[in-house]
Amino acid sequence: VRVVRDGEVLDPASWTRTARTGRVRIDDLVDPGRLLALFDDGATIVLQSLQRWWPPLTRFCRALEDALGHPTQANAYLTPPGAAGLAPHHDTHDVFVLQVHGTKHWTVREPLVVAPLARHTSDHERCAQQPVLFEADLHPGDCLYLPRGFVHSAATQHGASLHLTIGVLATTMHDVLRRIVDRAAEEPDFRRTLRSRAGAGDDDPRALVKEIVAELTHWLEGFDPDTLDDTTVHRLLGRTRRPPVLDGHLLELVGLASIDDSTVVVRRAPSPPPLHERDDRVEIDLGDRTLRLPARVGAPVASLLDGAPHTVGELAASMDQSSRQVLVRRLVREGVLRTCRGA
C-alpha cells in the first residue's frame, strides 16, 4: 500500500500502527481508521502489485502476458472527489489505464525523455512544463494506453474514482546488451587490471578507453548468440515465464492418492510451458524452477500439455498403469496439471 496526496507520498507512519502476532512484531500494519481519514481528507490510496493478491486480476495479467510476451504488474488507485494523486511524471514501462469506477480527468504531455530506462527518474517540475498533447475524461470501461516516457497526471472532479494501471515490463535492447556485455567477464582479457596512470605524463586517459572499446568491438564480432542462457533467449522471443498459479492446489495435494485411470486432468497454465528434450531427459520450464523427467515420458507429457482435458487412462498405449499414474500425480503435485473433479 502507498498513500499519495497532491503529488507527494505520505509517510507510512501516518496511516500504519504496530502490532504483534505471536512473538513477531509488525511495524507497518495498516490502520483502517487512519487510512480512511486520509482518504476523506483528499489522499489517494494505492494498492500495489494487486495481481499477487486478487485472483481475477492474476488471471487477467497472466493472459495479457501470454498475448504480449512480457511480464505485467497491476496497481489500483482509489482517489477521492476533487483530488489529484501523483504529480506529472513518466513511467519507465508501458501502461494500460483501465477505468473501473467513477470518472478521472487525464492530462498527457510530450515525453521529457524518449523511451526512458529505470535510471531516468521523473523531474516533476520539468515534466509539468512539457507541452500538452491531449486531455481526456475516462469513464468506467475506458482504456488509455501510455507508452513509456509520456508525461501524465490525473485528477478526479465529482465522486470517487478507481482505476487500474497495468504496467508492461518489456525487455529493451539495453537489457539485451547488458546481458551480452556481462558475458565478457568470462574472458580473462577483460578481467585484467588496468595499468596505472601514475606518472603517465600527458597521456590522454581517453586513449585507454578507446583501446578497451576496440577490444570489446572485436570480441562482439565473434560473439555466439547460442551461448546466451535460456531465460534471456525466452525474453528475446517474447516468452515470459511465470510460476504456475496454484489456486486450489492444497486440495490437489491431499487428493493425489485418489488419482486413477478415470481421473480427468488438464493443463493448469493458459499456454503450455516450454518443453525441452535432452539426450536422457525431458525438461519442463515452470518459471521458478525446471522439472526434469526421463526422456521416455516426453511424448505422453506433450500430449497432456495440449490444453485439452485427458483421462489418465488415455496414456495406456505408451505407459503401464502404475507408471502413468505416477507421472500424472507428479505433474499435478508440481502444478503443471490440475484435476477436473466430477468431469
Side-chain angles (χ1 to χ4, degrees), residues 256 259 265 282 284 291-294 296-304 312 315 318-337:
L256 286 175
I259 292 177
V265 293
V282 60
I284 306 175
L291 177 60
R292 296 176 175 84
L293 300 168
R296 65 180 180 274
V297 304
V301 168
S303 67
L304 292 171
V312 177
L315 303 181
S318 56
M319 306 182 72
D320 62 53
Q321 184 181 50
S322 176
S323 297
R324 60 182 179 261
Q325 292 181 9
V326 168
L327 172 65
V328 171
R329 288 170 185 168
R330 175 74 185 281
L331 295 176
V332 171
R333 180 186 298 113
E334 298 289 348
V336 180
L337 301 176

Side-chain angles (χ1 to χ4, degrees), residues 123-298:
D123 182 324
H124 297 313
E125 291 186 5
R126 294 181 63 196
C127 282
Q129 296 172 2
Q130 289 296 99
V132 174
L133 291 175
F134 67 88
E135 298 185 50
D137 289 332
L138 293 191
H139 300 85
D142 288 344
C143 175
L144 172 65
Y145 171 59
L146 294 168
R148 61 191 170 104
F150 280 79
V151 175
H152 55 278
S153 57
T156 57
Q157 295 172 330
H158 305 289
S161 167
L162 175 67
H163 77 267
L164 297 173
T165 62
I166 310 296
V168 182
L169 311 178
T171 301
T172 68
M173 289 185 64
H174 182 258
D175 294 327
V176 178
L177 288 172
R178 289 182 60 185
R179 287 178 171 85
I180 292 175
V181 173
D182 280 346
R183 295 301 304 273
E186 304 303 320
E187 298 293 329
D189 284 347
F190 290 117
R191 300 199 300 266
R192 70 181 187 273
T193 302
L194 295 178
R195 63 179 182 269
S196 171
R197 304 306 297 171
D202 296 330
D203 287 352
D204 185 358
R206 295 177 179 82
L208 177 57
V209 175
K210 188 174 181 180
E211 291 177 19
I212 295 172
V213 171
E215 290 185 46
L216 177 62
T217 301
H218 177 73
W219 177 79
L220 288 172
E221 289 175 350
F223 180 76
D224 182 3
D226 289 339
T227 61
L228 288 173
D229 60 272
D230 288 345
T231 299
T232 300
V233 172
H234 288 158
R235 289 177 68 89
L236 280 171
L237 295 176
R239 297 175 185 168
T240 183
R241 295 305 309 162
R242 295 284 204 188
V245 178
L246 300 179
D247 53 311
H249 194 55
L250 178 61
L251 295 178
E252 298 283 13
L253 292 177
V254 298
L256 286 175
S258 65
I259 292 177
D260 56 24
D261 276 1
S262 65
T263 302
V264 179
V265 293
V266 69
R267 187 182 70 215
R268 182 178 279 275
S271 60
L275 195 65
H276 306 288
E277 294 187 2
R278 311 300 185 189
D279 292 337
D280 60 343
R281 66 187 186 279
V282 60
E283 296 182 349
I284 306 175
D285 181 3
L286 298 180
D288 59 344
R289 63 194 187 283
T290 299
L291 177 60
R292 296 176 175 84
L293 300 168
R296 65 180 180 274
V297 304

Side-chain angles (χ1 to χ4, degrees), residues 86-91 93 95 97 106-110 127 144 146-147 149-154 165:
L86 297 172
H89 68 285
H90 68 247
D91 291 314
H93 51 265
V95 167
V97 178
W106 287 79
T107 302
V108 179
R109 301 173 183 268
E110 291 183 1
C127 282
L144 172 65
L146 294 168
F150 280 79
V151 175
H152 55 278
S153 57
T165 62

Side-chain angles (χ1 to χ4, degrees), residues 3-50:
V3 181
V4 297
R5 182 170 53 198
D6 299 326
E8 299 295 330
V9 178
L10 301 186
D11 185 351
S14 65
W15 48 271
T16 61
R17 64 183 179 87
T18 59
R20 299 190 69 85
T21 173
R23 296 184 178 182
V24 178
R25 179 185 177 89
I26 302 173
D27 295 320
D28 60 351
L29 185 68
V30 173
D31 186 320
R34 299 172 72 191
L35 181 63
L36 293 175
L38 288 172
F39 175 81
D40 188 53
D41 194 38
T44 291
I45 299 173
V46 186
L47 305 178
Q48 301 191 130
S49 295
L50 197 57

